[in-house]
Structures are given as structure tokens and as C-alpha cells.
Amino acid sequence: MNYNGFFASALDQLREERRYRVFADLERIAGRFPHAHWHSPQGKREVVIWCSNDYLGMAQHPKVIGAMVETATRMGTGAGGTRNIAGTNHPLVELERELADLHGKPAALLFTSGYVSNQTGIPTIARLLPNCLILSDALNHNSMIEGVRQSGCDKQIWRHNDVGHLEELLKAADPARPKVIAFESLYSMDGDVAPVHAICDLAEKYGAMTYVDEVHAVGMYGARGGGICEREGAMDRVDVIEGTLAKAFGCLGGFITGSTEMVDAVRSYAPGFIFTTALPPAICAAATAAIKHLKTSNWERERHQDRAARVKAVLNAAGLPVMPSTTHIVPVFVGNAEKVKAASDMLMADHGIYIQPINYPTVPRNEERLRITPSPYHDDALIDALAEALVDVWERLELPRGKQALAAE
């Protein structure tokens, strides 16, 4: 039997649908973010990154790099195994304390990624609640969807950010039944924000737990970088706050924070935590340095918001179809899988600008887009060059502009 033929056929289908993913071979230049070297088929050339989730450039901050280098020199590179077998390295203990403090919770638990923290945390919590019902926002991230699926619990999907629909589902549920409302604080493809207080009001009214994913908001919003929940004064109202260290904090790892009992139960029951190697000491120390810095420094957040606002203004002035967003996410609508890939390729090859195309299943079919994420280090000249490059690509591909394109959406 030709097993490779099955794999080849599956890949051919992705290519036919223009969904085959090509990863750019990039070498970031320390101290020069957002500039990087692209190892293209024609050789090495410099490009500007416009779609990184290292939102604040913290991966190259001297404090973060210094903490990583010093800890690796002192303690080595690996964690030595699972925390059960090898013990917990002390920088990891310090990091969990820092995360609990960031979100105003008694306890925190660290995972190897934000994806794993959702994929493992959600089903573990739900399975420990007898006959649990999970109510999940329709636009939740794949990691949350997988966590809900793996729980084996009953689930209901409520229309995105529609608290009226959520209340209908809660009202119809058995009042005595444990319920978990799972949602994101900031949705990364559209850049919109959840009505956190309204959701918490319903949770209190109908006796539900709340689980919020803050991965695209931690470090970015709130007086100390605690996320949308901190900005809205809602951290004490949300039962479980989940986040990542791989975006605004510039490192690696995911986490949940909440009550001592909940965190200890996940620690004690979650296979995705128990049976995987812990994060190395150097990464933990680097993440702690990033969190501590952003708890006291607002320059990065303020500059970042200024840059995002300028990008939106300049692109809108150029007549480009910028989708509405109240946050740092700047989606530019294309609506065609083949043309969004062509636009990305042309920006890279002809203008030295890297923006990865966003296709199905990340977004619905015919809602393909370029997702732009400015940083504090994208200056006015880079923003103007981006607008000029996008206008050139839009004209060459004969893509609709401005309101015409968004109306077609």
C-alpha cells in the first residue's frame, strides 16, 4: 500500500485550495527589531517584519536577554525532566509567583505553551466538575476548541460576544449543573474585545465559572500589563485567567492563574502537565524579567498603541480596506485565498516586507486577510513605506479598496 500517496494527496488538496503553508526562513537581528534577514531562494536579504506576535519587542530587551544568559551560565540549559521527576527549578517557582501577582490570584501554574495550557487546563477543570456544561464563544482559538473537545463534556457554542445568546443558554441549563464559560479577552484575527463585565454578571447570576484566554492581551493592557481584565477592573471577577509568555513577554510558555484549590487540582490531574518536561530555568528567568519590567514600565504599551493608531490612520488614508479594530491588531481585508497569498509574496519579494497571509481555517473562507501587528519600534518611515507597498500590491492585483472591499465582506 502506498501510504505516502495518501499524504501527498492531502497536501495536493491544500495546494488546490491555496491553503498550503510556506514558512519564511527568517533570522531576526538582535537590537534591530523589527528588521530581520530573510534566507530567500535567491539568497540572504533584509526585510521588515510586520506580523510578529512579539508585540513589544521584549524578546530583544537587554534585561530579558541578560536574565536568560546569566541563568543559563549558572544553571545550564535544560530542566532535567518533568517537575515530578526532576523537581522544580527555582526560576520556575519565582515565575509562577510573578504570574499569580500579575493577575491578582493566589496561584499560577506554568505549561510549555499557551496552546498546551488551554488544551490541558480546560478539559482537566471541566472533568473535575460533575456533569459539567461548557459554554464556548464561537470564535475561540483552536487550543480552546481542542480543550473543550478533549474534556468529553457537553458543550454549547454561543454567538461571538453575544451576551444575549449566552444568557439564553445559561437560562435553559439546569441551575444545579456546574457550568464553565470559556472566552477570550481579545480576539487576535479581528482585534475586538469581549464584554468581560457583562459575561461575569451572567456567570454570577447563573452560577457559572469563567475561564478567559488573555494571550493577546497580557503585557499589552492594564496598568501593570495584566491584560484586558486588569484594564477593565475585572480580574477579581474571573475565575481562571490563562495567558502566554510567548507574545508580549517575548519568551515561551503558557499559564493559568486562579484559586489555590483549582491550580493544585490541575497540577495533580492534568496529563499535559504531569508528563511533560518543565520549561528550562533560563527561559523562566527571562520571562520573569520581562513581566517585572512591564509591571513598572508603561512606555512600551503607550508607544505601541500610538504606532497601531498611526498605522490604521495611514492605511485608511491610503484607501486600503482596514477592518474595524479597537486594539493593536490591524487586519486588512482581501477575501480571496489565492490573492492574499500573492499579496504576501509580492510584499516580501518586491518590497522587503513580511506579512504572513491568514487563510481558512484560521478565518472563514472568503474572509482571508493580512494581519498587521505594529510594534513600538515601527517608526513613521516604516509605516509610510508599508502603506506605499500595500497600495502598489493592491493596484497590481486589482484588489478592491476601502469601503467597497469591506462592504463585500
Side-chain angles (χ1 to χ4, degrees):
M1 187 173 291
N2 180 13
Y3 289 100
N4 283 332
F6 295 114
F7 303 135
S9 177
L11 292 171
D12 287 342
Q13 182 177 343
L14 288 179
R15 292 188 179 97
E16 287 172 10
E17 297 175 3
R18 301 297 188 268
R19 293 197 297 120
Y20 180 74
R21 298 174 188 267
V22 178
F23 300 149
D25 184 352
L26 298 175
E27 181 183 339
R28 301 209 301 174
I29 306 168
R32 292 195 58 211
F33 185 75
H35 297 271
H37 287 133
W38 174 37
H39 293 269
S40 76
Q42 289 73 41
K44 185 176 176 181
R45 58 174 292 195
E46 189 167 312
V47 298
V48 177
I49 298 173
W50 273 102
C51 58
S52 174
N53 283 343
D54 182 10
Y55 292 132
L56 302 179
M58 290 301 293
Q60 299 186 27
H61 195 284
K63 290 182 182 177
V64 179
I65 294 173
M68 179 173 280
V69 171
E70 186 277 329
T71 305
T73 302
R74 180 167 49 89
M75 299 184 66
T77 57
T82 67
R83 291 168 70 172
N84 182 55
I85 297 297
T88 299
N89 64 77
H90 189 63
L92 194 155
V93 175
E94 293 179 321
L95 174 55
E96 287 181 336
R97 289 174 182 160
E98 203 69 39
L99 289 166
D101 174 77
L102 176 66
H103 294 293
K105 300 295 185 187
L109 189 67
L110 194 65
F111 297 85
T112 50
S113 73
Y115 193 102
V116 172
S117 57
N118 277 332
Q119 187 186 36
T120 297
I122 291 173
T124 304
I125 290 168
R127 284 197 295 259
L128 291 172
L129 302 174
N131 193 31
C132 179
L133 171 65
I134 303 176
L135 300 109
S136 180
D137 185 284
L139 293 190
N140 277 344
H141 188 263
N142 177 267
S143 60
M144 300 182 77
I145 294 170
E146 285 302 311
V148 172
R149 285 176 179 166
Q150 291 178 25
S151 73
C153 298
D154 291 343
K155 70 175 185 297
Q156 292 181 330
I157 310 301
W158 48 289
R159 291 187 295 270
H160 176 55
N161 277 352
D162 186 339
V163 290
H165 186 219
L166 175 59
E167 182 163 22
E168 288 177 19
L169 298 176
L170 287 166
K171 190 180 295 185
D174 181 350
R177 186 178 193 184
K179 295 170 283 288
V180 175
I181 302 171
F183 64 102
E184 297 182 44
S185 67
L186 194 163
Y187 292 84
S188 65
M189 290 301 125
D190 293 318
D192 57 334
V193 172
V196 179
H197 278 297
I199 293 169
C200 290
D201 288 344
L202 292 177
E204 292 170 8
K205 181 177 180 180
Y206 293 98
M209 274 187 70
T210 45
Y211 181 109
V212 63
D213 176 311
E214 285 259 35
V215 296
H216 291 277
V218 288
M220 312 285 294
Y221 298 90
R224 299 196 310 156
I228 295 295
C229 289
E230 182 187 28
R231 187 188 74 176
E232 301 300 314
M235 286 197 300
D236 61 331
R237 302 190 70 193
V238 176
D239 295 298
V240 185
I241 297 178
E242 182 268 349
T244 185
L245 303 170
K247 294 180 171 61
F249 296 127
C251 295
L252 177 71
F255 61 88
I256 60 170
T257 64
S259 70
T260 302
E261 295 82 0
M262 182 278 296
V263 167
D264 197 11
V266 174
R267 180 193 70 87
S268 302
Y269 280 90
F273 169 81
I274 295 169
F275 298 106
T276 193
T277 300
L279 285 177
I283 290 177
C284 296
T288 299
I291 295 166
K292 284 183 175 179
H293 175 79
L294 290 173
K295 279 180 176 177
T296 58
S297 173
N298 278 310
W299 178 85
E300 290 84 0
R301 282 186 284 277
E302 291 170 358
R303 171 73 174 174
H304 185 260
Q305 290 297 317
D306 172 80
R307 297 292 83 193
R310 190 175 194 281
V311 169
K312 292 174 188 177
V314 170
L315 298 191
N316 274 312
L320 291 158
V322 178
M323 300 170 70
S325 165
T326 60
T327 60
H328 61 281
I329 307 295
V330 186
V332 181
F333 184 78
V334 177
N336 180 285
E338 186 169 358
K339 287 192 174 183
V340 77
K341 177 65 168 64
S344 176
D345 290 345
M346 290 166 67
L347 286 168
M348 190 76 140
D350 301 338
H351 297 279
I353 288 174
Y354 174 57
I355 308 175
Q356 185 73 349
I358 305 297
N359 289 311
Y360 176 84
T362 307
V363 295
R365 297 181 196 276
N366 302 317
E367 292 189 22
E368 294 83 3
R369 67 199 65 178
L370 297 176
R371 175 183 176 271
I372 297 168
T373 54
S375 79
Y377 304 100
H378 286 88
D379 59 26
D380 288 358
L382 290 179
I383 294 172
D384 292 341
L386 170 68
E388 292 171 8
L390 286 170
V391 168
D392 173 63
V393 167
W394 248 247
E395 289 176 349
R396 288 161 61 189
L397 290 175
E398 299 181 342
L399 289 167
R401 302 277 285 273
K403 294 180 180 178
Q404 175 191 356
L406 296 177
E409 178 198 358

mmCIF file of all heavy atoms in Angstrom, residues 184-218:
data_model
loop_
_atom_site.group_PDB
_atom_site.id
_atom_site.type_symbol
_atom_site.label_atom_id
_atom_site.label_comp_id
_atom_site.label_asym_id
_atom_site.label_seq_id
_atom_site.Cartn_x
_atom_site.Cartn_y
_atom_site.Cartn_z
ATOM 1 N N GLU A 184 -12.310 34.492 25.086
ATOM 2 C CA GLU A 184 -11.060 35.240 25.004
ATOM 3 C C GLU A 184 -11.323 36.692 25.365
ATOM 4 O O GLU A 184 -12.418 37.204 25.141
ATOM 5 C CB GLU A 184 -10.465 35.155 23.591
ATOM 6 C CG GLU A 184 -10.086 33.746 23.157
ATOM 7 C CD GLU A 184 -9.451 33.718 21.788
ATOM 8 O OE1 GLU A 184 -8.589 34.591 21.510
ATOM 9 O OE2 GLU A 184 -9.800 32.839 20.979
ATOM 10 N N SER A 185 -10.319 37.344 25.892
ATOM 11 C CA SER A 185 -10.484 38.770 26.189
ATOM 12 C C SER A 185 -10.285 39.612 24.942
ATOM 13 O O SER A 185 -10.965 40.617 24.727
ATOM 14 C CB SER A 185 -9.497 39.202 27.282
ATOM 15 O OG SER A 185 -8.160 39.128 26.812
ATOM 16 N N LEU A 186 -9.346 39.209 24.080
ATOM 17 C CA LEU A 186 -9.030 39.929 22.851
ATOM 18 C C LEU A 186 -8.868 38.902 21.741
ATOM 19 O O LEU A 186 -8.042 38.002 21.842
ATOM 20 C CB LEU A 186 -7.748 40.742 23.040
ATOM 21 C CG LEU A 186 -7.404 41.808 22.003
ATOM 22 C CD1 LEU A 186 -6.354 42.764 22.568
ATOM 23 C CD2 LEU A 186 -6.875 41.218 20.700
ATOM 24 N N TYR A 187 -9.657 39.048 20.697
ATOM 25 C CA TYR A 187 -9.652 38.077 19.592
ATOM 26 C C TYR A 187 -8.681 38.553 18.520
ATOM 27 O O TYR A 187 -8.823 39.642 17.957
ATOM 28 C CB TYR A 187 -11.077 37.893 19.056
ATOM 29 C CG TYR A 187 -11.963 37.197 20.066
ATOM 30 C CD1 TYR A 187 -12.588 37.913 21.086
ATOM 31 C CD2 TYR A 187 -12.130 35.816 20.041
ATOM 32 C CE1 TYR A 187 -13.366 37.273 22.042
ATOM 33 C CE2 TYR A 187 -12.907 35.171 20.998
ATOM 34 C CZ TYR A 187 -13.528 35.907 21.989
ATOM 35 O OH TYR A 187 -14.291 35.270 22.941
ATOM 36 N N SER A 188 -7.689 37.726 18.246
ATOM 37 C CA SER A 188 -6.497 38.189 17.531
ATOM 38 C C SER A 188 -6.668 38.357 16.036
ATOM 39 O O SER A 188 -5.825 38.976 15.393
ATOM 40 C CB SER A 188 -5.338 37.223 17.790
ATOM 41 O OG SER A 188 -5.618 35.947 17.242
ATOM 42 N N MET A 189 -7.713 37.800 15.425
ATOM 43 C CA MET A 189 -7.872 37.958 13.987
ATOM 44 C C MET A 189 -8.691 39.195 13.626
ATOM 45 O O MET A 189 -8.498 39.792 12.577
ATOM 46 C CB MET A 189 -8.517 36.699 13.384
ATOM 47 C CG MET A 189 -7.593 35.490 13.390
ATOM 48 S SD MET A 189 -6.068 35.804 12.456
ATOM 49 C CE MET A 189 -4.833 35.426 13.689
ATOM 50 N N ASP A 190 -9.623 39.593 14.481
ATOM 51 C CA ASP A 190 -10.434 40.784 14.234
ATOM 52 C C ASP A 190 -10.037 41.955 15.123
ATOM 53 O O ASP A 190 -10.378 43.103 14.832
ATOM 54 C CB ASP A 190 -11.920 40.476 14.453
ATOM 55 C CG ASP A 190 -12.456 39.502 13.419
ATOM 56 O OD1 ASP A 190 -12.109 39.654 12.241
ATOM 57 O OD2 ASP A 190 -13.210 38.589 13.792
ATOM 58 N N GLY A 191 -9.359 41.672 16.227
ATOM 59 C CA GLY A 191 -8.925 42.738 17.131
ATOM 60 C C GLY A 191 -10.027 43.289 18.008
ATOM 61 O O GLY A 191 -9.911 44.403 18.521
ATOM 62 N N ASP A 192 -11.104 42.526 18.201
ATOM 63 C CA ASP A 192 -12.191 43.002 19.056
ATOM 64 C C ASP A 192 -12.049 42.432 20.462
ATOM 65 O O ASP A 192 -11.300 41.488 20.702
ATOM 66 C CB ASP A 192 -13.559 42.668 18.459
ATOM 67 C CG ASP A 192 -13.745 41.180 18.212
ATOM 68 O OD1 ASP A 192 -12.737 40.467 18.022
ATOM 69 O OD2 ASP A 192 -14.898 40.716 18.211
ATOM 70 N N VAL A 193 -12.795 43.029 21.401
ATOM 71 C CA VAL A 193 -12.637 42.735 22.824
ATOM 72 C C VAL A 193 -13.948 42.202 23.392
ATOM 73 O O VAL A 193 -15.034 42.655 23.028
ATOM 74 C CB VAL A 193 -12.206 44.010 23.581
ATOM 75 C CG1 VAL A 193 -12.213 43.796 25.086
ATOM 76 C CG2 VAL A 193 -10.821 44.454 23.113
ATOM 77 N N ALA A 194 -13.845 41.240 24.291
ATOM 78 C CA ALA A 194 -15.027 40.651 24.927
ATOM 79 C C ALA A 194 -15.630 41.604 25.954
ATOM 80 O O ALA A 194 -14.903 42.351 26.621
ATOM 81 C CB ALA A 194 -14.655 39.337 25.607
ATOM 82 N N PRO A 195 -16.963 41.566 26.125
ATOM 83 C CA PRO A 195 -17.621 42.345 27.188
ATOM 84 C C PRO A 195 -17.454 41.627 28.526
ATOM 85 O O PRO A 195 -18.370 40.964 29.024
ATOM 86 C CB PRO A 195 -19.079 42.379 26.728
ATOM 87 C CG PRO A 195 -19.262 41.121 25.945
ATOM 88 C CD PRO A 195 -17.933 40.838 25.290
ATOM 89 N N VAL A 196 -16.281 41.753 29.123
ATOM 90 C CA VAL A 196 -15.899 40.933 30.269
ATOM 91 C C VAL A 196 -16.877 41.090 31.437
ATOM 92 O O VAL A 196 -17.337 40.096 32.020
ATOM 93 C CB VAL A 196 -14.460 41.260 30.730
ATOM 94 C CG1 VAL A 196 -14.089 40.415 31.947
ATOM 95 C CG2 VAL A 196 -13.472 41.035 29.605
ATOM 96 N N HIS A 197 -17.218 42.316 31.792
ATOM 97 C CA HIS A 197 -18.111 42.518 32.943
ATOM 98 C C HIS A 197 -19.497 41.932 32.694
ATOM 99 O O HIS A 197 -20.097 41.333 33.598
ATOM 100 C CB HIS A 197 -18.212 44.001 33.280
ATOM 101 C CG HIS A 197 -17.077 44.510 34.102
ATOM 102 N ND1 HIS A 197 -16.808 44.059 35.378
ATOM 103 C CD2 HIS A 197 -16.105 45.423 33.811
ATOM 104 C CE1 HIS A 197 -15.742 44.680 35.859
ATOM 105 N NE2 HIS A 197 -15.290 45.504 34.930
ATOM 106 N N ALA A 198 -20.009 42.080 31.477
ATOM 107 C CA ALA A 198 -21.334 41.531 31.166
ATOM 108 C C ALA A 198 -21.324 40.008 31.266
ATOM 109 O O ALA A 198 -22.284 39.393 31.746
ATOM 110 C CB ALA A 198 -21.771 41.966 29.769
ATOM 111 N N ILE A 199 -20.232 39.393 30.819
ATOM 112 C CA ILE A 199 -20.110 37.935 30.923
ATOM 113 C C ILE A 199 -20.031 37.520 32.392
ATOM 114 O O ILE A 199 -20.667 36.546 32.818
ATOM 115 C CB ILE A 199 -18.878 37.443 30.133
ATOM 116 C CG1 ILE A 199 -19.091 37.673 28.627
ATOM 117 C CG2 ILE A 199 -18.599 35.962 30.415
ATOM 118 C CD1 ILE A 199 -17.844 37.462 27.791
ATOM 119 N N CYS A 200 -19.252 38.258 33.176
ATOM 120 C CA CYS A 200 -19.143 37.945 34.607
ATOM 121 C C CYS A 200 -20.470 38.140 35.327
ATOM 122 O O CYS A 200 -20.805 37.382 36.244
ATOM 123 C CB CYS A 200 -18.059 38.808 35.249
ATOM 124 S SG CYS A 200 -16.378 38.374 34.738
ATOM 125 N N ASP A 201 -21.224 39.150 34.921
ATOM 126 C CA ASP A 201 -22.552 39.358 35.509
ATOM 127 C C ASP A 201 -23.420 38.118 35.307
ATOM 128 O O ASP A 201 -24.106 37.656 36.235
ATOM 129 C CB ASP A 201 -23.246 40.564 34.868
ATOM 130 C CG ASP A 201 -22.629 41.890 35.290
ATOM 131 O OD1 ASP A 201 -21.885 41.913 36.291
ATOM 132 O OD2 ASP A 201 -22.895 42.895 34.600
ATOM 133 N N LEU A 202 -23.395 37.572 34.083
ATOM 134 C CA LEU A 202 -24.188 36.376 33.786
ATOM 135 C C LEU A 202 -23.664 35.166 34.554
ATOM 136 O O LEU A 202 -24.448 34.333 35.030
ATOM 137 C CB LEU A 202 -24.180 36.098 32.286
ATOM 138 C CG LEU A 202 -24.917 37.109 31.407
ATOM 139 C CD1 LEU A 202 -24.763 36.741 29.932
ATOM 140 C CD2 LEU A 202 -26.389 37.183 31.781
ATOM 141 N N ALA A 203 -22.342 35.063 34.665
ATOM 142 C CA ALA A 203 -21.761 33.942 35.401
ATOM 143 C C ALA A 203 -22.223 33.960 36.860
ATOM 144 O O ALA A 203 -22.577 32.916 37.429
ATOM 145 C CB ALA A 203 -20.237 34.001 35.316
ATOM 146 N N GLU A 204 -22.228 35.131 37.448
ATOM 147 C CA GLU A 204 -22.679 35.245 38.840
ATOM 148 C C GLU A 204 -24.172 34.973 38.960
ATOM 149 O O GLU A 204 -24.626 34.312 39.901
ATOM 150 C CB GLU A 204 -22.339 36.636 39.363
ATOM 151 C CG GLU A 204 -20.834 36.864 39.520
ATOM 152 C CD GLU A 204 -20.479 38.318 39.800
ATOM 153 O OE1 GLU A 204 -21.409 39.122 40.028
ATOM 154 O OE2 GLU A 204 -19.271 38.647 39.784
ATOM 155 N N LYS A 205 -24.929 35.442 37.996
ATOM 156 C CA LYS A 205 -26.380 35.266 38.037
ATOM 157 C C LYS A 205 -26.779 33.801 37.910
ATOM 158 O O LYS A 205 -27.726 33.337 38.571
ATOM 159 C CB LYS A 205 -27.017 36.087 36.912
ATOM 160 C CG LYS A 205 -28.542 36.012 36.857
ATOM 161 C CD LYS A 205 -29.083 36.912 35.755
ATOM 162 C CE LYS A 205 -30.598 36.848 35.673
ATOM 163 N NZ LYS A 205 -31.126 37.731 34.593
ATOM 164 N N TYR A 206 -26.056 33.053 37.071
ATOM 165 C CA TYR A 206 -26.443 31.669 36.781
ATOM 166 C C TYR A 206 -25.479 30.634 37.374
ATOM 167 O O TYR A 206 -25.547 29.456 37.034
ATOM 168 C CB TYR A 206 -26.560 31.466 35.272
ATOM 169 C CG TYR A 206 -27.709 32.255 34.672
ATOM 170 C CD1 TYR A 206 -27.484 33.485 34.061
ATOM 171 C CD2 TYR A 206 -29.020 31.784 34.754
ATOM 172 C CE1 TYR A 206 -28.532 34.222 33.519
ATOM 173 C CE2 TYR A 206 -30.075 32.511 34.220
ATOM 174 C CZ TYR A 206 -29.827 33.728 33.604
ATOM 175 O OH TYR A 206 -30.872 34.453 33.084
ATOM 176 N N GLY A 207 -24.586 31.067 38.245
ATOM 177 C CA GLY A 207 -23.724 30.130 38.958
ATOM 178 C C GLY A 207 -22.711 29.418 38.090
ATOM 179 O O GLY A 207 -22.481 28.216 38.246
ATOM 180 N N ALA A 208 -22.067 30.152 37.175
ATOM 181 C CA ALA A 208 -21.072 29.555 36.281
ATOM 182 C C ALA A 208 -19.661 30.016 36.638
ATOM 183 O O ALA A 208 -19.472 31.102 37.200
ATOM 184 C CB ALA A 208 -21.380 29.918 34.829
ATOM 185 N N MET A 209 -18.680 29.180 36.298
ATOM 186 C CA MET A 209 -17.274 29.582 36.358
ATOM 187 C C MET A 209 -16.926 30.340 35.084
ATOM 188 O O MET A 209 -17.539 30.130 34.039
ATOM 189 C CB MET A 209 -16.347 28.358 36.447
ATOM 190 C CG MET A 209 -16.084 27.813 37.815
ATOM 191 S SD MET A 209 -14.810 26.507 37.743
ATOM 192 C CE MET A 209 -13.343 27.458 37.365
ATOM 193 N N THR A 210 -15.914 31.201 35.168
ATOM 194 C CA THR A 210 -15.425 31.893 33.974
ATOM 195 C C THR A 210 -13.972 31.530 33.723
ATOM 196 O O THR A 210 -13.158 31.476 34.649
ATOM 197 C CB THR A 210 -15.556 33.417 34.133
ATOM 198 O OG1 THR A 210 -15.090 33.799 35.435
ATOM 199 C CG2 THR A 210 -16.996 33.863 33.935
ATOM 200 N N TYR A 211 -13.663 31.284 32.445
ATOM 201 C CA TYR A 211 -12.299 30.944 32.010
ATOM 202 C C TYR A 211 -11.987 31.861 30.839
ATOM 203 O O TYR A 211 -12.629 31.786 29.787
ATOM 204 C CB TYR A 211 -12.240 29.478 31.581
ATOM 205 C CG TYR A 211 -10.877 28.990 31.122
ATOM 206 C CD1 TYR A 211 -10.140 28.113 31.913
ATOM 207 C CD2 TYR A 211 -10.340 29.379 29.904
ATOM 208 C CE1 TYR A 211 -8.894 27.643 31.492
ATOM 209 C CE2 TYR A 211 -9.100 28.924 29.481
ATOM 210 C CZ TYR A 211 -8.378 28.054 30.277
ATOM 211 O OH TYR A 211 -7.141 27.591 29.864
ATOM 212 N N VAL A 212 -11.022 32.771 31.026
ATOM 213 C CA VAL A 212 -10.702 33.725 29.967
ATOM 214 C C VAL A 212 -9.275 33.536 29.468
ATOM 215 O O VAL A 212 -8.336 33.369 30.255
ATOM 216 C CB VAL A 212 -10.918 35.183 30.437
ATOM 217 C CG1 VAL A 212 -9.994 35.546 31.582
ATOM 218 C CG2 VAL A 212 -10.738 36.156 29.271
ATOM 219 N N ASP A 213 -9.140 33.533 28.156
ATOM 220 C CA ASP A 213 -7.844 33.476 27.477
ATOM 221 C C ASP A 213 -7.380 34.907 27.228
ATOM 222 O O ASP A 213 -8.020 35.649 26.491
ATOM 223 C CB ASP A 213 -8.027 32.708 26.159
ATOM 224 C CG ASP A 213 -6.773 32.648 25.307
ATOM 225 O OD1 ASP A 213 -6.153 33.707 25.105
ATOM 226 O OD2 ASP A 213 -6.436 31.563 24.801
ATOM 227 N N GLU A 214 -6.261 35.285 27.845
ATOM 228 C CA GLU A 214 -5.721 36.652 27.715
ATOM 229 C C GLU A 214 -4.418 36.665 26.900
ATOM 230 O O GLU A 214 -3.629 37.617 27.021
ATOM 231 C CB GLU A 214 -5.447 37.230 29.111
ATOM 232 C CG GLU A 214 -6.674 37.654 29.894
ATOM 233 C CD GLU A 214 -6.907 39.159 29.857
ATOM 234 O OE1 GLU A 214 -6.620 39.781 28.806
ATOM 235 O OE2 GLU A 214 -7.370 39.697 30.864
ATOM 236 N N VAL A 215 -4.189 35.666 26.059
ATOM 237 C CA VAL A 215 -2.870 35.530 25.443
ATOM 238 C C VAL A 215 -2.460 36.736 24.598
ATOM 239 O O VAL A 215 -1.281 37.080 24.527
ATOM 240 C CB VAL A 215 -2.741 34.233 24.615
ATOM 241 C CG1 VAL A 215 -2.869 33.002 25.487
ATOM 242 C CG2 VAL A 215 -3.746 34.194 23.478
ATOM 243 N N HIS A 216 -3.420 37.384 23.931
ATOM 244 C CA HIS A 216 -3.072 38.529 23.091
ATOM 245 C C HIS A 216 -3.191 39.854 23.839
ATOM 246 O O HIS A 216 -3.082 40.916 23.226
ATOM 247 C CB HIS A 216 -3.944 38.550 21.836
ATOM 248 C CG HIS A 216 -3.627 37.439 20.892
ATOM 249 N ND1 HIS A 216 -2.599 37.498 19.974
ATOM 250 C CD2 HIS A 216 -4.186 36.213 20.741
ATOM 251 C CE1 HIS A 216 -2.547 36.369 19.292
ATOM 252 N NE2 HIS A 216 -3.495 35.569 19.741
ATOM 253 N N ALA A 217 -3.406 39.779 25.147
ATOM 254 C CA ALA A 217 -3.586 40.997 25.936
ATOM 255 C C ALA A 217 -2.612 41.122 27.099
ATOM 256 O O ALA A 217 -2.323 42.240 27.539
ATOM 257 C CB ALA A 217 -5.021 41.069 26.467
ATOM 258 N N VAL A 218 -2.094 39.999 27.624
ATOM 259 C CA VAL A 218 -1.160 40.101 28.750
ATOM 260 C C VAL A 218 0.086 40.881 28.324
ATOM 261 O O VAL A 218 0.612 40.716 27.226
ATOM 262 C CB VAL A 218 -0.755 38.711 29.304
ATOM 263 C CG1 VAL A 218 -1.904 38.081 30.054
ATOM 264 C CG2 VAL A 218 -0.242 37.795 28.210
#
